[in-house]
Amino acid sequence: MKFLIVNGPNLNMLGIREPEVYGSMTYEELVYFLHEQAVALGVEIEVFQSNCEGEIVNEIQRAYRRIDGIIINPAAYTHTSIAILDALKAVSIPAAEVHLSDVTKREEFRQVSYAGMACEFHFIGEGKQGYINAMKALKEKLEAAH
Ligand code: DQA
């Protein structure tokens, strides 16, 4: 079972950007944690980060017929990108949305999630654990389907 984990703009700045919102964990530490937890869960992962919307769309398209589940934190593109929503719908791979912070309690402009409209699962405000809960939810769903 292979999952693609996609992280959007500025998540490479974790540990530096707004630590009062996102904490002190660096992006490298997050990626290390994800690989460790994937091994523990018995799933394979690919982790991709980009600050560019089109590159995220390309990566989602590349997942077609290759990847069993997508876990996506589109960061700021969550609230703006219909292209990412359309890409998720196009490949029709089961998907989970993750946000480190609790966007529901933040600014008004963060209250819409386009990408989330193509996701079956949502883990919001659970920090790095959200990614693990997303892996577990997708794994259970895929196992139930077999
Ligand atoms: C975020 C929330 C977004 O609103 C923000 O633009 C981000 C990170 C989160 O993980 O909490 O960059 O997706």
Side-chain angles (χ1 to χ4, degrees), residues 9 11 17 22 73-76 78-79 98-101 103 106 110:
L11 288 169
R17 75 182 289 213
Y22 300 110
N73 181 350
T78 306
H79 320 298
V98 171
H99 296 288
L100 294 164
S101 67
V103 282
R106 296 182 64 192
R110 296 186 207 272

Side-chain angles (χ1 to χ4, degrees), residues 3 6-7 11 22 34 41 70-75 78-79 94-104 113 115-117 119-141:
F3 297 155
V6 178
N7 286 310
L11 288 169
Y22 300 110
L34 295 176
L41 280 172
I70 296 178
I71 295 158
I72 184 161
N73 181 350
T78 306
H79 320 298
E97 170 185 25
V98 171
H99 296 288
L100 294 164
S101 67
D102 185 354
V103 282
T104 68
S113 170
M117 293 173 193
C119 296
E120 200 171 324
F121 304 102
H122 309 265
F123 298 95
I124 296 174
E126 299 178 8
K128 64 182 179 182
Q129 190 58 36
Y131 291 90
I132 311 313
N133 293 338
M135 286 193 230
K136 286 183 183 161
L138 286 170
K139 187 182 178 210
E140 268 174 37
K141 178 198 158 70

